[in-house]
Amino acid sequence: MIILYAEFTVLPGFEDEVAELMTGLAEDVRAEPGNVVFEPHTERDNPNKYFVYEVYRDQEAFETHISAPYGAVFNARLNEVIEEDESQLTFLTRLLD
């Protein structure tokens, strides 16, 4: 499995737009055959800070995910309305099965 999380901070004034973009992206990603988990969250004390937990069946499923056209559209707009240059990805290794 490929397990990761993405983090980014939405610039003030773009909260509603990013929430709408994330809702659409979540629907698309969850429909991918190789997606196991796609859970977007915001921090309780800082709702502009996003944390997205993702799990994909295997490397092929992850490659399919990152090459999806709707992801490119999402990321292009997201990169214009977040503090960071792009979403920060951290890949994880599961310790227990």
Side-chain angles (χ1 to χ4, degrees):
M1 284 209 244
I2 303 298
I3 306 167
L4 68 136
Y5 64 90
E7 293 182 285
F8 57 87
T9 308
V10 177
L11 292 169
F14 295 98
E15 297 87 351
D16 291 342
E17 179 182 356
V18 172
E20 185 176 321
L21 287 168
M22 182 58 71
T23 298
L25 180 67
E27 290 175 10
D28 290 335
V29 174
R30 290 175 176 172
E32 294 173 6
N35 177 257
V36 178
V37 176
F38 187 87
E39 294 181 358
H41 304 269
T42 58
E43 287 185 6
R44 182 179 303 165
D45 296 329
N46 181 4
N48 285 25
K49 180 72 175 173
Y50 274 71
F51 175 93
V52 185
Y53 180 69
E54 306 177 46
V55 180
Y56 299 90
R57 181 185 60 233
D58 53 25
Q59 185 65 37
E60 181 181 351
F62 181 67
E63 295 294 331
T64 298
H65 164 70
I66 61 172
S67 65
Y70 49 81
V73 171
F74 173 86
N75 285 320
R77 180 60 183 146
L78 184 72
N79 290 342
E80 297 173 347
V81 296
I82 62 174
E83 291 181 7
E84 303 82 4
D85 291 334
E86 59 187 17
S87 178
Q88 306 301 300
L89 303 182
T90 301
F91 289 85
L92 304 171
T93 300
R94 181 176 287 174
L95 295 178
L96 304 173
D97 286 324

